[in-house]
PDB file of all heavy atoms in Angstrom:
ATOM      1  N   ILE A   1      16.788 -12.102 -11.458  1.00 90.00           N
ATOM      2  CA  ILE A   1      15.832 -13.161 -11.087  1.00 90.00           C
ATOM      3  C   ILE A   1      16.709 -14.442 -11.112  1.00 90.00           C
ATOM      4  O   ILE A   1      16.302 -15.315 -10.201  1.00 90.00           O
ATOM      5  CB  ILE A   1      14.770 -13.121 -12.268  1.00 90.00           C
ATOM      6  CG1 ILE A   1      13.954 -11.857 -12.158  1.00 90.00           C
ATOM      7  CG2 ILE A   1      13.903 -14.303 -12.082  1.00 90.00           C
ATOM      8  CD1 ILE A   1      12.970 -11.763 -13.164  1.00 90.00           C
ATOM      9  N   GLN A   2      17.408 -14.763 -12.001  1.00 87.00           N
ATOM     10  CA  GLN A   2      18.187 -16.057 -11.909  1.00 87.00           C
ATOM     11  C   GLN A   2      18.968 -16.210 -10.520  1.00 87.00           C
ATOM     12  O   GLN A   2      19.031 -17.316 -10.119  1.00 87.00           O
ATOM     13  CB  GLN A   2      19.166 -16.022 -13.087  1.00 87.00           C
ATOM     14  CG  GLN A   2      18.449 -16.331 -14.318  1.00 87.00           C
ATOM     15  CD  GLN A   2      19.444 -16.287 -15.579  1.00 87.00           C
ATOM     16  OE1 GLN A   2      20.519 -15.668 -15.470  1.00 87.00           O
ATOM     17  NE2 GLN A   2      19.156 -16.942 -16.670  1.00 87.00           N
ATOM     18  N   ASP A   3      19.529 -15.115 -10.098  1.00 84.00           N
ATOM     19  CA  ASP A   3      20.337 -15.142  -8.756  1.00 84.00           C
ATOM     20  C   ASP A   3      19.363 -15.014  -7.644  1.00 84.00           C
ATOM     21  O   ASP A   3      19.839 -14.867  -6.420  1.00 84.00           O
ATOM     22  CB  ASP A   3      21.428 -14.163  -8.774  1.00 84.00           C
ATOM     23  CG  ASP A   3      22.336 -14.372  -9.850  1.00 84.00           C
ATOM     24  OD1 ASP A   3      22.502 -15.515 -10.411  1.00 84.00           O
ATOM     25  OD2 ASP A   3      23.014 -13.309 -10.316  1.00 84.00           O
ATOM     26  N   ALA A   4      18.081 -14.923  -7.785  1.00 89.00           N
ATOM     27  CA  ALA A   4      17.058 -14.758  -6.724  1.00 89.00           C
ATOM     28  C   ALA A   4      17.323 -13.446  -5.909  1.00 89.00           C
ATOM     29  O   ALA A   4      16.931 -13.400  -4.827  1.00 89.00           O
ATOM     30  CB  ALA A   4      17.132 -15.982  -5.663  1.00 89.00           C
ATOM     31  N   ASP A   5      17.971 -12.405  -6.725  1.00 89.00           N
ATOM     32  CA  ASP A   5      18.094 -11.069  -6.095  1.00 89.00           C
ATOM     33  C   ASP A   5      17.012 -10.150  -6.526  1.00 89.00           C
ATOM     34  O   ASP A   5      16.821  -9.032  -5.944  1.00 89.00           O
ATOM     35  CB  ASP A   5      19.413 -10.510  -6.496  1.00 89.00           C
ATOM     36  CG  ASP A   5      20.607 -11.306  -5.984  1.00 89.00           C
ATOM     37  OD1 ASP A   5      20.492 -11.771  -4.768  1.00 89.00           O
ATOM     38  OD2 ASP A   5      21.641 -11.357  -6.548  1.00 89.00           O
ATOM     39  N   GLY A   6      16.109 -10.689  -7.385  1.00 92.00           N
ATOM     40  CA  GLY A   6      14.924  -9.888  -7.854  1.00 92.00           C
ATOM     41  C   GLY A   6      13.859 -10.836  -8.181  1.00 92.00           C
ATOM     42  O   GLY A   6      14.042 -12.023  -8.064  1.00 92.00           O
ATOM     43  N   PHE A   7      12.654 -10.356  -8.428  1.00 94.00           N
ATOM     44  CA  PHE A   7      11.528 -11.111  -8.766  1.00 94.00           C
ATOM     45  C   PHE A   7      10.702 -10.448  -9.905  1.00 94.00           C
ATOM     46  O   PHE A   7      10.945  -9.192 -10.146  1.00 94.00           O
ATOM     47  CB  PHE A   7      10.656 -11.261  -7.487  1.00 94.00           C
ATOM     48  CG  PHE A   7      10.094 -10.090  -6.945  1.00 94.00           C
ATOM     49  CD1 PHE A   7       8.925  -9.503  -7.182  1.00 94.00           C
ATOM     50  CD2 PHE A   7      10.938  -9.347  -5.972  1.00 94.00           C
ATOM     51  CE1 PHE A   7       8.628  -8.290  -6.603  1.00 94.00           C
ATOM     52  CE2 PHE A   7      10.575  -8.263  -5.319  1.00 94.00           C
ATOM     53  CZ  PHE A   7       9.317  -7.724  -5.706  1.00 94.00           C
ATOM     54  N   GLY A   8       9.904 -11.241 -10.511  1.00 94.00           N
ATOM     55  CA  GLY A   8       9.172 -10.618 -11.631  1.00 94.00           C
ATOM     56  C   GLY A   8       7.745 -11.260 -11.822  1.00 94.00           C
ATOM     57  O   GLY A   8       7.472 -12.290 -11.286  1.00 94.00           O
ATOM     58  N   PHE A   9       7.023 -10.592 -12.740  1.00 95.00           N
ATOM     59  CA  PHE A   9       5.693 -11.140 -13.102  1.00 95.00           C
ATOM     60  C   PHE A   9       5.508 -11.084 -14.743  1.00 95.00           C
ATOM     61  O   PHE A   9       5.951 -10.132 -15.310  1.00 95.00           O
ATOM     62  CB  PHE A   9       4.628 -10.451 -12.387  1.00 95.00           C
ATOM     63  CG  PHE A   9       4.663 -10.529 -10.912  1.00 95.00           C
ATOM     64  CD1 PHE A   9       5.179  -9.510 -10.222  1.00 95.00           C
ATOM     65  CD2 PHE A   9       4.193 -11.637 -10.255  1.00 95.00           C
ATOM     66  CE1 PHE A   9       5.334  -9.537  -8.762  1.00 95.00           C
ATOM     67  CE2 PHE A   9       4.265 -11.673  -8.952  1.00 95.00           C
ATOM     68  CZ  PHE A   9       4.736 -10.651  -8.126  1.00 95.00           C
ATOM     69  N   ALA A  10       4.738 -12.091 -15.182  1.00 95.00           N
ATOM     70  CA  ALA A  10       4.470 -11.946 -16.662  1.00 95.00           C
ATOM     71  C   ALA A  10       3.010 -11.824 -16.842  1.00 95.00           C
ATOM     72  O   ALA A  10       2.148 -12.418 -16.037  1.00 95.00           O
ATOM     73  CB  ALA A  10       4.889 -13.353 -17.291  1.00 95.00           C
ATOM     74  N   LEU A  11       2.560 -11.070 -17.727  1.00 94.00           N
ATOM     75  CA  LEU A  11       1.173 -10.863 -17.941  1.00 94.00           C
ATOM     76  C   LEU A  11       0.794 -11.621 -19.252  1.00 94.00           C
ATOM     77  O   LEU A  11       1.504 -11.422 -20.341  1.00 94.00           O
ATOM     78  CB  LEU A  11       0.824  -9.286 -18.175  1.00 94.00           C
ATOM     79  CG  LEU A  11      -0.567  -8.929 -18.371  1.00 94.00           C
ATOM     80  CD1 LEU A  11      -0.988  -7.665 -17.786  1.00 94.00           C
ATOM     81  CD2 LEU A  11      -0.957  -8.943 -19.990  1.00 94.00           C
ATOM     82  N   VAL A  12      -0.245 -12.482 -19.263  1.00 93.00           N
ATOM     83  CA  VAL A  12      -0.560 -13.348 -20.322  1.00 93.00           C
ATOM     84  C   VAL A  12      -1.944 -12.964 -20.729  1.00 93.00           C
ATOM     85  O   VAL A  12      -2.851 -12.979 -19.863  1.00 93.00           O
ATOM     86  CB  VAL A  12      -0.415 -14.837 -19.916  1.00 93.00           C
ATOM     87  CG1 VAL A  12      -0.981 -15.703 -21.098  1.00 93.00           C
ATOM     88  CG2 VAL A  12       1.082 -15.199 -19.666  1.00 93.00           C
ATOM     89  N   GLU A  13      -2.183 -12.819 -21.904  1.00 90.00           N
ATOM     90  CA  GLU A  13      -3.620 -12.470 -22.500  1.00 90.00           C
ATOM     91  C   GLU A  13      -3.782 -13.387 -23.737  1.00 90.00           C
ATOM     92  O   GLU A  13      -2.811 -13.444 -24.699  1.00 90.00           O
ATOM     93  CB  GLU A  13      -3.635 -11.042 -22.847  1.00 90.00           C
ATOM     94  CG  GLU A  13      -5.075 -10.726 -23.361  1.00 90.00           C
ATOM     95  CD  GLU A  13      -5.185  -9.231 -23.726  1.00 90.00           C
ATOM     96  OE1 GLU A  13      -4.297  -8.834 -24.328  1.00 90.00           O
ATOM     97  OE2 GLU A  13      -6.216  -8.623 -23.465  1.00 90.00           O
ATOM     98  N   GLU A  14      -4.838 -14.159 -23.758  1.00 87.00           N
ATOM     99  CA  GLU A  14      -5.063 -15.107 -24.876  1.00 87.00           C
ATOM    100  C   GLU A  14      -4.041 -16.026 -25.137  1.00 87.00           C
ATOM    101  O   GLU A  14      -3.665 -16.190 -26.309  1.00 87.00           O
ATOM    102  CB  GLU A  14      -5.442 -14.209 -26.218  1.00 87.00           C
ATOM    103  CG  GLU A  14      -6.658 -13.317 -26.032  1.00 87.00           C
ATOM    104  CD  GLU A  14      -7.009 -12.591 -27.293  1.00 87.00           C
ATOM    105  OE1 GLU A  14      -6.153 -12.701 -28.285  1.00 87.00           O
ATOM    106  OE2 GLU A  14      -8.075 -12.012 -27.434  1.00 87.00           O
ATOM    107  N   GLY A  15      -3.380 -16.520 -24.061  1.00 87.00           N
ATOM    108  CA  GLY A  15      -2.383 -17.539 -24.214  1.00 87.00           C
ATOM    109  C   GLY A  15      -0.927 -16.949 -24.568  1.00 87.00           C
ATOM    110  O   GLY A  15      -0.066 -17.748 -24.695  1.00 87.00           O
ATOM    111  N   GLU A  16      -0.833 -15.519 -24.710  1.00 90.00           N
ATOM    112  CA  GLU A  16       0.446 -15.030 -25.096  1.00 90.00           C
ATOM    113  C   GLU A  16       1.001 -14.168 -24.004  1.00 90.00           C
ATOM    114  O   GLU A  16       0.257 -13.417 -23.338  1.00 90.00           O
ATOM    115  CB  GLU A  16       0.214 -14.285 -26.407  1.00 90.00           C
ATOM    116  CG  GLU A  16      -0.058 -15.090 -27.615  1.00 90.00           C
ATOM    117  CD  GLU A  16      -0.123 -14.252 -28.916  1.00 90.00           C
ATOM    118  OE1 GLU A  16       0.171 -13.017 -28.743  1.00 90.00           O
ATOM    119  OE2 GLU A  16      -0.626 -14.578 -29.960  1.00 90.00           O
ATOM    120  N   VAL A  17       2.294 -14.162 -23.821  1.00 92.00           N
ATOM    121  CA  VAL A  17       3.004 -13.229 -22.805  1.00 92.00           C
ATOM    122  C   VAL A  17       3.112 -11.958 -23.557  1.00 92.00           C
ATOM    123  O   VAL A  17       3.781 -11.802 -24.619  1.00 92.00           O
ATOM    124  CB  VAL A  17       4.354 -13.694 -22.554  1.00 92.00           C
ATOM    125  CG1 VAL A  17       4.982 -12.767 -21.522  1.00 92.00           C
ATOM    126  CG2 VAL A  17       4.313 -15.217 -21.808  1.00 92.00           C
ATOM    127  N   ARG A  18       2.525 -10.930 -22.965  1.00 92.00           N
ATOM    128  CA  ARG A  18       2.363  -9.633 -23.619  1.00 92.00           C
ATOM    129  C   ARG A  18       3.172  -8.478 -22.797  1.00 92.00           C
ATOM    130  O   ARG A  18       3.292  -7.393 -23.276  1.00 92.00           O
ATOM    131  CB  ARG A  18       0.964  -9.265 -23.919  1.00 92.00           C
ATOM    132  CG  ARG A  18       0.248 -10.205 -25.067  1.00 92.00           C
ATOM    133  CD  ARG A  18      -1.038  -9.888 -25.418  1.00 92.00           C
ATOM    134  NE  ARG A  18      -1.457 -10.832 -26.515  1.00 92.00           N
ATOM    135  CZ  ARG A  18      -2.606 -10.810 -26.987  1.00 92.00           C
ATOM    136  NH1 ARG A  18      -3.603 -10.002 -26.421  1.00 92.00           N
ATOM    137  NH2 ARG A  18      -2.893 -11.603 -28.011  1.00 92.00           N
ATOM    138  N   ALA A  19       3.534  -8.780 -21.571  1.00 93.00           N
ATOM    139  CA  ALA A  19       4.201  -7.801 -20.786  1.00 93.00           C
ATOM    140  C   ALA A  19       4.872  -8.592 -19.704  1.00 93.00           C
ATOM    141  O   ALA A  19       4.535  -9.588 -19.190  1.00 93.00           O
ATOM    142  CB  ALA A  19       3.096  -6.812 -20.209  1.00 93.00           C
ATOM    143  N   ALA A  20       6.034  -8.005 -19.186  1.00 94.00           N
ATOM    144  CA  ALA A  20       6.825  -8.514 -18.095  1.00 94.00           C
ATOM    145  C   ALA A  20       7.397  -7.377 -17.236  1.00 94.00           C
ATOM    146  O   ALA A  20       7.678  -6.353 -17.893  1.00 94.00           O
ATOM    147  CB  ALA A  20       7.923  -9.423 -18.575  1.00 94.00           C
ATOM    148  N   VAL A  21       7.655  -7.637 -15.891  1.00 95.00           N
ATOM    149  CA  VAL A  21       8.082  -6.698 -15.129  1.00 95.00           C
ATOM    150  C   VAL A  21       9.122  -7.476 -14.131  1.00 95.00           C
ATOM    151  O   VAL A  21       8.886  -8.564 -13.832  1.00 95.00           O
ATOM    152  CB  VAL A  21       7.093  -5.916 -14.341  1.00 95.00           C
ATOM    153  CG1 VAL A  21       6.235  -6.812 -13.304  1.00 95.00           C
ATOM    154  CG2 VAL A  21       7.691  -4.795 -13.547  1.00 95.00           C
ATOM    155  N   CYS A  22      10.156  -6.760 -13.747  1.00 94.00           N
ATOM    156  CA  CYS A  22      11.161  -7.275 -12.806  1.00 94.00           C
ATOM    157  C   CYS A  22      11.409  -6.159 -11.695  1.00 94.00           C
ATOM    158  O   CYS A  22      11.494  -4.954 -12.105  1.00 94.00           O
ATOM    159  CB  CYS A  22      12.421  -7.671 -13.413  1.00 94.00           C
ATOM    160  SG  CYS A  22      13.798  -7.970 -12.169  1.00 94.00           S
ATOM    161  N   ALA A  23      11.501  -6.500 -10.496  1.00 95.00           N
ATOM    162  CA  ALA A  23      11.792  -5.569  -9.395  1.00 95.00           C
ATOM    163  C   ALA A  23      12.503  -6.196  -8.339  1.00 95.00           C
ATOM    164  O   ALA A  23      12.755  -7.336  -8.239  1.00 95.00           O
ATOM    165  CB  ALA A  23      10.342  -5.052  -8.864  1.00 95.00           C
ATOM    166  N   ARG A  24      13.012  -5.266  -7.468  1.00 93.00           N
ATOM    167  CA  ARG A  24      13.797  -5.786  -6.264  1.00 93.00           C
ATOM    168  C   ARG A  24      13.575  -4.878  -5.139  1.00 93.00           C
ATOM    169  O   ARG A  24      13.383  -3.664  -5.318  1.00 93.00           O
ATOM    170  CB  ARG A  24      15.229  -5.996  -6.556  1.00 93.00           C
ATOM    171  CG  ARG A  24      15.953  -4.740  -6.927  1.00 93.00           C
ATOM    172  CD  ARG A  24      17.490  -4.981  -7.156  1.00 93.00           C
ATOM    173  NE  ARG A  24      18.141  -3.731  -7.568  1.00 93.00           N
ATOM    174  CZ  ARG A  24      19.403  -3.653  -8.023  1.00 93.00           C
ATOM    175  NH1 ARG A  24      20.118  -4.824  -8.169  1.00 93.00           N
ATOM    176  NH2 ARG A  24      19.882  -2.612  -8.450  1.00 93.00           N
ATOM    177  N   LEU A  25      13.722  -5.350  -3.829  1.00 93.00           N
ATOM    178  CA  LEU A  25      13.725  -4.503  -2.728  1.00 93.00           C
ATOM    179  C   LEU A  25      15.060  -3.984  -2.542  1.00 93.00           C
ATOM    180  O   LEU A  25      16.012  -4.754  -2.741  1.00 93.00           O
ATOM    181  CB  LEU A  25      13.113  -5.341  -1.496  1.00 93.00           C
ATOM    182  CG  LEU A  25      11.734  -5.727  -1.549  1.00 93.00           C
ATOM    183  CD1 LEU A  25      11.364  -6.695  -0.476  1.00 93.00           C
ATOM    184  CD2 LEU A  25      10.754  -4.421  -1.481  1.00 93.00           C
ATOM    185  N   ASP A  26      15.153  -2.788  -1.957  1.00 88.00           N
ATOM    186  CA  ASP A  26      16.455  -2.174  -1.623  1.00 88.00           C
ATOM    187  C   ASP A  26      17.152  -2.979  -0.539  1.00 88.00           C
ATOM    188  O   ASP A  26      16.411  -3.287   0.454  1.00 88.00           O
ATOM    189  CB  ASP A  26      16.242  -0.759  -1.186  1.00 88.00           C
ATOM    190  CG  ASP A  26      17.518   0.005  -1.050  1.00 88.00           C
ATOM    191  OD1 ASP A  26      18.455  -0.354  -0.177  1.00 88.00           O
ATOM    192  OD2 ASP A  26      17.714   1.032  -1.866  1.00 88.00           O
TER     193      ASP A  26
END
């Protein structure tokens, strides 16, 4: 993600980050 070779999403519930995912296209 830092090198912009992948991307991610964070799931927030009640103001807290409770899950995260990172992926990239081949």
Side-chain angles (χ1 to χ4, degrees):
I1 294 174
Q2 287 175 332
D3 296 337
D5 293 325
F7 55 94
F9 298 99
L11 182 147
V12 176
E13 184 182 37
E14 297 181 354
E16 295 183 5
V17 180
R18 293 182 174 173
V21 65
C22 168
R24 65 178 172 188
L25 291 169
D26 190 295

